[in-house]
Structure formats: C-alpha cells, structure tokens
Amino acid sequence: MKRTILLMILGLNAGLTHAETDPATAARAAAGQLEAASVSLEDAGSARDRVAALTDTVKAYEAGLSALREGLRRAAIREAQIGRELRAQEDEITRLLGVLQSMGSGPPPVMLLHPSGPTGTARSGMILADIAPALEARTAGLRADLEEVAILRDLQQGAADKLQQGMTGVQTARTELSKAIADRTDLPQRFLEDPVKTALLIASTETLEGFASGLTDIQDPNIAPAVPSDITSRKGDLPLPVEARVLRKANEADAAGIRRPGIVLATRPNALVVAPTAATIRYVGPLLNYDNVMILEPQAGMMFVLAGMKTAYGGNGQVIPEGSPIGLMGGEEAEMGAILSQSGDGTGNTRPETLYIEVRRDNTPVDPAEWFRTE
C-alpha cells in the first residue's frame, strides 16, 4: 500500500508542472504600459513637436493593448491547463488527501508501532521517511496551483476596465494626432504635384505595379535630389511600418492563386502606420481597390509602396522624417466581450486588416524581406 502511495506521488509530481513564464506578471506589466501611455497623452498637449509626441503615445497604447491581450490570453490558457491537469488526476488527488487525512487523525504513539514488532516498526519508519518529503512537496504543489488559479481569475476579472481605458485612450490619441498632422506646416516640400499627369496615370492604371512604374515616367526632371542619399547600410534592418505579422510572403499565392511581388501584413484595426525611413511622398491617395496608397521614395531609384490604409496623412512632394505617421488602418475594434472571449479560447481573427508592402529598386520589384525585419 505504501509503495503504491509513493509511486502515485512521484507520478503526480512528474505530471503537474508550473509554466515556465508567469502570464499574470506579463499582464500586470502591460497594464503598467497603458498607465504610462495615459500620462504620455496628457504631456503631449504641451510638447513642442506634438506630432512626434502623439505618435509615440499612440504606439505606446498599441503596444500596451497588444501586450495586455497577450497576457490575458496566456493567463486563460494557463488556468485551463491547470484545470485540465487537476481534473485528469482527480482520483489520485483524492487518494492523496485521504492518506494525509488518515496520517493526521491517528495518535502519534500508535502510528509509530507496527504489528510485526520493532523490525516492522523500523521498516515502516524508513518508508514513511521516504514518503513524507514527497507528500509535503506534492501538497505544496497543489496549494501553489490553486493559488495561481485564484490569481489568474482575479486578473481576468479586473482586465475589462484596463482594456476599456486603454481603448478609449488610444482612440483619443489617434484623434489628437490627426488634428496635429492637419495643423503641421513644417515639412519640406521637394516638388509640387502635376495634378493632370497624376490623374491621367490613375485613369490608365490597371495594376499597382503599373502605377508605381508610371510615377517614374512622369517625374519632373528638375526635381531636387532625394533625401536621404543612401539607406543601403540598413538593408535587412528596417522596421516594419506597422505592428503586424506577415500574412503572406513575396510571390506566395493567395486564396485565388494570385502572386504578388510584395508582402501582406496582418494588422489590428486602426493600427498606426509610420514611415520606416525618411522619405519623399511620391504619391498618396486612393488607388484601384486598395483604399489609400502611399508611395515613398527614401532614395533615388528606390520606392516603398504601401497599400491598404483607411486614412492617409501627408501630401505629394512632402519630405517626411523617419517614424512620421503616414496613416491608419481601417476596421472596427472588437467589443469588450469579444476581446475577452478571444483571450480565453484563442479563437477569432484579432488582426483582420491587411497592409500590402512592395519594394521597388530601379523600377524592378525586390523581396521586401531583404530590407525589412519581418521575423
């Protein structure tokens, strides 16, 4: 019997382990990020460069919300994992509790005696000495698991307020950013658009690639040199313009079997898009079925084509600094209940918006993964 108990305890210890990371700590850290973003929003009103300050605030909110969602998701998964493991070992745990109860209910002198005499008593004591540490460790493990479940449930119950505050804050920051950009007058103007040529090009365009190629043909020969002069040293190390994951790689077929030379990024609704480098806006506006398209020229002979933004900032010919906001993705934020539900079961498309990025060098498409950090 005691041998069976010992094997049972050792098996339980092997089967029920704690997670390597602490999702509750991660979620609390994310909540701290949102609080810091709230303070940043208050300070942005008096900042000398409101556009830069509000851009940082929006990015801070987005990072905090993303981290909080991930923390809640991990917390829910961890709670479910502990619950499944405890239910799977319910019989063993019941037996363990019974053993602990029986050991604690008998008088100590009786527990030290064995019917076969002193030898049996000695052997029994040796077995109990082996079992006792395992019993103690297993009991401590169960207590820790139950405490962790209580912490995770408390965390999830208080998450709705933090999420709501963060979502309200980021929307306010986006609105303030749009106003600050509309009031901005300090951007250099490298060239003035020829509206007639641009309109004719748009009317004759059938593909995004064709439009980008056509921009080179209608370029004013007197246009000032592009700035900065060279970004080759940053090849492969440019940040993606939006917080996203790669949905489709260059020349990877989509559901309709169509292959395109750019990459498709999956973003959250209303995500902020920023310029990956200093560049000239060669074109900004609606085009084909891509919503708004932004074509940036970071250096002579190179273009970054970004398509799919709901809102676009800036005007043709403007020279914008690195990190400057260039637009917002479309879509609607999920309702609070849906967000918490997605956190719990891991289902639902939390990145329903897509941004297409194409890189062209000397009017030829190249794989954006060669220039951007896509991993």
Side-chain angles (χ1 to χ4, degrees), residues 41 50-52 54-55 58 170-184 270 272 310-314 325-329:
L41 178 58
R50 291 190 68 238
V51 171
L54 288 166
T55 299
V58 172
V170 72
Q171 188 55 45
T172 300
R174 287 170 181 150
T175 302
E176 292 298 317
L177 177 61
S178 296
K179 292 178 181 178
I181 291 173
D183 296 338
R184 183 171 56 184
N270 301 314
L272 179 67
K310 185 66 175 179
T311 303
Y313 301 132
I326 58 176
L328 293 171
M329 300 302 295

Coordinates of all heavy atoms in Angstrom, one line a residue, residues 41 50-52 54-55 58 170-184 270 272 310-314 325-329:
L41 N -0.1 60.8 -22.9 CA -1.1 61.6 -23.7 C -1.3 62.9 -23.0 O -1.5 63.9 -23.7 CB -2.4 60.7 -23.7 CG -3.6 61.4 -24.4 CD1 -3.3 61.7 -25.8 CD2 -4.8 60.4 -24.3
R50 N 4.2 68.2 -31.3 CA 3.0 67.4 -30.9 C 2.8 66.2 -31.7 O 2.4 65.1 -31.3 CB 1.7 68.3 -31.0 CG 1.7 69.4 -29.9 CD 0.3 70.0 -29.9 NE -0.7 69.1 -29.4 CZ -1.8 68.7 -30.0 NH1 -2.0 69.2 -31.3 NH2 -2.7 67.9 -29.5
V51 N 3.2 66.3 -33.0 CA 3.0 65.1 -33.9 C 3.9 64.0 -33.4 O 3.5 62.8 -33.3 CB 3.4 65.5 -35.4 CG1 3.4 64.2 -36.2 CG2 2.3 66.4 -35.9
A52 N 5.2 64.3 -33.1 CA 6.1 63.2 -32.7 C 5.6 62.7 -31.3 O 5.7 61.5 -31.1 CB 7.5 63.8 -32.6
L54 N 2.6 62.7 -30.0 CA 1.4 61.9 -30.1 C 1.6 60.6 -30.8 O 0.9 59.6 -30.5 CB 0.3 62.7 -30.8 CG -0.3 63.8 -29.9 CD1 -1.1 64.8 -30.8 CD2 -1.2 63.3 -28.8
T55 N 2.5 60.6 -31.8 CA 2.9 59.3 -32.5 C 3.4 58.3 -31.5 O 3.0 57.1 -31.4 CB 3.9 59.6 -33.5 OG1 3.4 60.5 -34.5 CG2 4.3 58.3 -34.2
V58 N 0.5 57.0 -29.3 CA -0.3 56.0 -30.0 C 0.4 54.7 -30.0 O -0.2 53.6 -29.7 CB -0.7 56.5 -31.4 CG1 -1.4 55.3 -32.1 CG2 -1.6 57.7 -31.3
V170 N -6.3 55.2 -26.6 CA -5.7 55.2 -27.9 C -6.5 55.9 -28.9 O -6.0 56.5 -29.8 CB -5.4 53.7 -28.3 CG1 -6.6 53.0 -28.7 CG2 -4.4 53.7 -29.4
Q171 N -7.9 55.8 -28.8 CA -8.7 56.5 -29.7 C -8.6 58.0 -29.6 O -8.5 58.7 -30.6 CB -10.2 56.0 -29.6 CG -11.1 56.6 -30.6 CD -10.7 56.2 -32.0 OE1 -10.3 55.1 -32.3 NE2 -10.7 57.2 -32.9
T172 N -8.5 58.5 -28.4 CA -8.3 59.9 -28.1 C -7.0 60.3 -28.7 O -6.9 61.4 -29.3 CB -8.3 60.2 -26.6 OG1 -9.6 59.8 -26.1 CG2 -8.1 61.7 -26.4
A173 N -5.9 59.5 -28.5 CA -4.6 59.9 -29.0 C -4.6 59.9 -30.5 O -4.0 60.8 -31.1 CB -3.6 58.9 -28.5
R174 N -5.3 59.0 -31.2 CA -5.4 59.0 -32.6 C -6.1 60.2 -33.2 O -5.7 60.8 -34.2 CB -6.1 57.7 -33.1 CG -5.3 56.4 -33.0 CD -6.2 55.2 -33.3 NE -5.4 54.0 -33.1 CZ -6.0 52.8 -32.7 NH1 -7.3 52.8 -32.4 NH2 -5.2 51.8 -32.6
T175 N -7.2 60.6 -32.5 CA -7.9 61.8 -32.9 C -7.0 63.1 -32.7 O -7.0 63.9 -33.6 CB -9.2 62.0 -32.0 OG1 -10.0 60.8 -32.2 CG2 -9.9 63.2 -32.5
E176 N -6.3 63.2 -31.6 CA -5.4 64.3 -31.4 C -4.3 64.3 -32.4 O -3.8 65.4 -32.9 CB -4.9 64.3 -30.0 CG -5.9 64.5 -28.9 CD -6.5 65.9 -29.0 OE1 -5.7 66.9 -29.3 OE2 -7.7 66.0 -28.9
L177 N -3.8 63.1 -32.8 CA -2.7 63.0 -33.8 C -3.2 63.5 -35.1 O -2.5 64.3 -35.8 CB -2.2 61.6 -33.9 CG -1.2 61.3 -34.9 CD1 0.1 62.1 -34.6 CD2 -0.8 59.8 -35.0
S178 N -4.4 63.1 -35.5 CA -4.9 63.6 -36.8 C -5.0 65.1 -36.8 O -4.7 65.8 -37.9 CB -6.3 63.0 -37.0 OG -6.2 61.6 -37.2
K179 N -5.5 65.7 -35.7 CA -5.6 67.2 -35.7 C -4.2 67.8 -35.8 O -4.0 68.8 -36.5 CB -6.2 67.6 -34.4 CG -7.7 67.2 -34.3 CD -8.3 67.6 -32.9 CE -9.7 67.2 -32.8 NZ -10.3 67.6 -31.4
A180 N -3.2 67.2 -35.0 CA -1.9 67.8 -35.1 C -1.2 67.7 -36.5 O -0.5 68.7 -36.9 CB -1.0 67.1 -34.0
I181 N -1.5 66.6 -37.2 CA -1.0 66.5 -38.5 C -1.6 67.5 -39.5 O -0.9 68.1 -40.3 CB -1.2 65.1 -39.0 CG1 -0.3 64.1 -38.2 CG2 -0.9 64.9 -40.5 CD1 -0.5 62.6 -38.6
A182 N -2.9 67.7 -39.3 CA -3.6 68.7 -40.1 C -3.1 70.1 -39.9 O -3.1 70.9 -40.9 CB -5.1 68.7 -39.8
D183 N -2.6 70.4 -38.7 CA -2.0 71.7 -38.4 C -0.6 71.8 -38.7 O 0.0 72.9 -38.6 CB -2.3 72.0 -36.9 CG -3.7 72.1 -36.5 OD1 -4.5 72.3 -37.5 OD2 -4.0 71.9 -35.4
R184 N 0.1 70.8 -39.2 CA 1.5 70.8 -39.4 C 1.9 71.6 -40.6 O 1.3 71.4 -41.7 CB 2.0 69.3 -39.5 CG 3.6 69.2 -39.7 CD 4.0 67.8 -39.6 NE 3.3 66.9 -40.5 CZ 3.5 65.6 -40.6 NH1 4.3 65.0 -39.7 NH2 2.8 64.9 -41.5
N270 N -7.4 49.9 -37.0 CA -6.9 51.3 -36.6 C -5.5 51.4 -36.2 O -5.1 52.4 -35.6 CB -7.8 51.8 -35.5 CG -9.3 51.9 -35.8 OD1 -9.7 52.3 -36.9 ND2 -10.1 51.4 -34.9
L272 N -1.6 52.2 -36.2 CA -0.9 53.4 -36.8 C 0.2 52.9 -37.7 O 1.0 51.9 -37.4 CB -0.3 54.2 -35.6 CG 0.6 55.4 -36.0 CD1 -0.3 56.5 -36.7 CD2 1.3 56.0 -34.8
K310 N -6.8 52.9 -44.4 CA -8.1 53.6 -44.5 C -7.9 55.1 -44.5 O -8.6 55.8 -45.2 CB -8.9 53.2 -43.2 CG -10.3 53.7 -43.3 CD -11.1 53.1 -44.4 CE -12.6 53.6 -44.4 NZ -13.4 53.0 -45.5
T311 N -7.0 55.6 -43.7 CA -6.7 57.0 -43.6 C -5.2 57.2 -43.9 O -4.3 56.5 -43.5 CB -6.9 57.6 -42.2 OG1 -8.3 57.3 -41.8 CG2 -6.7 59.1 -42.1
A312 N -4.9 58.2 -44.7 CA -3.5 58.5 -45.1 C -3.2 60.0 -44.7 O -4.0 60.9 -44.9 CB -3.3 58.3 -46.6
Y313 N -2.0 60.2 -44.2 CA -1.5 61.5 -43.9 C -0.4 62.0 -44.8 O 0.4 61.2 -45.3 CB -0.9 61.5 -42.5 CG -1.9 61.1 -41.4 CD1 -1.4 60.1 -40.4 CD2 -3.1 61.6 -41.3 CE1 -2.3 59.7 -39.4 CE2 -4.0 61.2 -40.3 CZ -3.6 60.2 -39.3 OH -4.4 59.8 -38.3
G314 N -0.4 63.3 -45.1 CA 0.6 63.9 -45.9 C 0.2 64.2 -47.3 O -1.0 64.0 -47.7
P325 N 4.1 59.6 -38.8 CA 2.8 58.9 -39.1 C 2.4 59.1 -40.5 O 2.4 60.3 -41.0 CB 1.8 59.5 -38.1 CG 2.4 60.8 -37.7 CD 3.9 60.7 -37.8
I326 N 2.0 58.1 -41.2 CA 1.6 58.2 -42.6 C 0.2 57.7 -42.8 O -0.4 57.9 -43.9 CB 2.5 57.5 -43.6 CG1 2.7 56.0 -43.3 CG2 3.9 58.2 -43.6 CD1 3.5 55.3 -44.3
G327 N -0.4 57.1 -41.8 CA -1.8 56.7 -42.0 C -2.3 55.7 -40.8 O -1.5 55.4 -39.9
L328 N -3.5 55.4 -40.9 CA -4.2 54.4 -40.0 C -4.9 53.3 -40.8 O -5.4 53.6 -41.9 CB -5.2 55.2 -39.1 CG -4.7 56.2 -38.1 CD1 -5.9 56.9 -37.5 CD2 -3.9 55.6 -37.0
M329 N -4.8 52.1 -40.3 CA -5.5 51.0 -40.9 C -7.0 51.2 -40.6 O -7.4 52.0 -39.7 CB -5.1 49.7 -40.4 CG -3.6 49.4 -40.6 SD -3.1 49.5 -42.4 CE -4.1 48.1 -43.0

